[in-house]
Amino acid sequence: MVSVLFSHEMLIRMQIICTYLFGFLTLVILVIIIPQTDWAMLAAMPSGDWLGNFLPALAFVAAGTGIGWTSYAADYSCHQDPKNSRSRVAWAVTLGGAIPLILMLSVGILLSTQVPDLAQSANPIEVIKGALPTNLAIIYYITAIGGLTPQCFLGLKSSKLVLKAAHLIWDDKLILLFQTIIVTVIPAIILFIAQDFQGTLEGFLGIIGKLLAAWSSIFLVDYLMLRWKQGYSEKLLTDPVDNQINYNGVISWIVGFVIGMLFSKTFIFTGPFATGIFAGNSLNVLLTLVVSGGLYFILTLCHPQNKAE
């Protein structure tokens, strides 16, 4: 929570230290886990169903990783050197997110040969720890916690800017109080009240994922249709008086999220259409993305907006 008050330069230095430290510890753990792979068992595993297994898993990973970073993008972009090309920034972000993620997912697949119930476990972290020598358990837990900490620094800092940009909270002290309540209450509910930790976590990520997926698709369509060459008006980004509501975007965002929830099963709500291929998975996140982006495209064609709006 204190990191909200840090400067951008301080956050970057902390990020660099954490990246090298916990990245190295992760590699140490991988070196121990990979040789234990049962390659014959891995080769004999049947392929999963594309629509019922792969795409829902892809949507869940996207909701918990890539889509979850979308609210940080503006904060990240404003600190870029204007000399950096768009393609260079895009490749840096894409590869920086993809390479570690693909590596960890691959190790998870390899580890499933040693721990067959890994995917169904209510607490995968505990199961993975069991595959390690006892004396490495402490290092593993430190790595698991430490690897998540740096993104909290950036997330809290960016959420402060998001709250201000949305004209919800302007006072820094109120923002800090609001963030403290959120990051205290929600984890406490998941840890001490909810009986199904993994199910509650997946449900929470599903809700957040749909909200962000809808926003992301609208942003991309808006950029491709209206901002590709001209970009955004500086006055629009800095003057609250001229920061008018994009009704096409708001409508598309709400409709996409509501439709996504109708096809979802979470710890607080079960949609009437959460059956068949949508039962118990995150395929609804992709549905939300398509619906919101598609609707915004149609509304923008029917009611074009000025690029400065």
Side-chain angles (χ1 to χ4, degrees):
M1 295 308 306
V2 176
S3 69
V4 177
L5 306 176
F6 293 167
S7 66
H8 177 75
E9 291 73 19
M10 175 64 76
L11 289 175
I12 292 299
R13 285 197 292 268
M14 294 173 63
Q15 185 81 10
I16 292 174
I17 293 173
C18 290
T19 297
Y20 282 107
L21 174 60
F22 298 113
F24 172 75
L25 292 177
T26 300
L27 292 177
V28 171
I29 294 172
L30 298 186
V31 168
I32 297 173
I33 290 179
I34 291 177
Q36 302 178 28
T37 301
D38 186 338
W39 297 100
M41 180 179 177
L42 182 65
M45 286 183 176
S47 298
D49 177 69
W50 177 269
L51 189 60
N53 298 120
F54 179 76
L55 285 180
L58 181 66
F60 177 70
V61 172
T65 54
I67 295 178
W69 284 91
T70 52
S71 60
Y72 311 159
D75 190 16
Y76 173 82
S77 301
C78 73
H79 295 286
Q80 290 299 311
D81 189 330
K83 297 179 181 179
N84 292 336
S85 66
R86 289 187 296 181
S87 60
R88 182 180 179 185
V89 174
W91 277 113
V93 174
T94 301
L95 295 177
I99 292 176
L101 185 59
I102 292 174
L103 176 64
M104 297 305 294
L105 288 173
S106 301
V107 171
I109 295 173
L110 299 179
L111 189 61
S112 66
T113 63
Q114 184 183 353
V115 188
D117 60 342
L118 177 62
Q120 290 77 32
S121 173
N123 189 347
I125 292 180
E126 183 70 20
V127 173
I128 295 175
K129 187 213 73 172
L132 295 170
T134 304
N135 56 350
L136 285 179
I138 295 179
I139 295 179
Y140 171 73
Y141 278 126
I142 291 175
T143 305
I145 296 172
L148 294 173
T149 302
Q151 71 181 34
C152 296
F153 297 156
L154 299 181
L156 290 169
K157 190 74 171 181
S158 296
S159 67
K160 173 183 176 180
L161 299 179
V162 170
L163 290 170
K164 287 189 173 183
H167 309 302
L168 296 176
I169 306 177
W170 281 91
D171 186 84
D172 285 350
K173 293 181 180 179
L174 290 178
I175 290 177
L176 182 60
L177 176 62
F178 174 78
Q179 291 175 327
T180 302
I181 294 174
I182 293 297
V183 301
T184 302
V185 172
I186 292 180
I189 293 175
I190 295 177
L191 286 173
F192 303 116
I193 299 177
Q195 298 300 311
D196 181 8
F197 173 82
Q198 190 70 11
T200 305
L201 176 62
E202 291 180 6
F204 175 75
L205 288 178
I207 295 174
I208 298 299
K210 281 184 279 291
L211 289 169
L212 291 175
W215 183 91
S216 301
S217 61
I218 293 169
F219 178 85
L220 289 174
V221 172
D222 180 83
Y223 178 75
L224 293 174
M225 294 183 70
L226 304 176
R227 329 283 178 178
W228 179 262
K229 294 183 178 180
Q230 181 174 324
Y232 291 89
S233 167
E234 184 177 351
K235 189 176 182 181
L236 169 67
L237 298 174
T238 56
D239 189 347
V241 176
D242 288 336
N243 191 353
Q244 302 299 316
I245 295 176
N246 181 340
Y247 289 100
N248 289 349
V250 173
I251 292 172
S252 302
W253 182 65
I254 294 175
V255 171
F257 174 70
V258 170
I259 291 179
M261 288 299 293
L262 293 177
F263 286 82
S264 305
K265 181 179 180 181
T266 69
F267 62 102
I268 59 173
F269 174 80
T270 299
F273 306 114
T275 59
I277 60 173
F278 291 97
N281 60 52
S282 299
L283 194 59
N284 44 70
V285 174
L286 295 180
L287 175 65
T288 302
L289 188 147
V290 172
V291 170
S292 290
L295 180 58
Y296 184 72
F297 177 79
I298 295 172
L299 292 177
T300 304
L301 288 178
C302 298
H303 183 257
Q305 294 176 270
N306 187 288
K307 290 188 178 182
E309 292 181 346

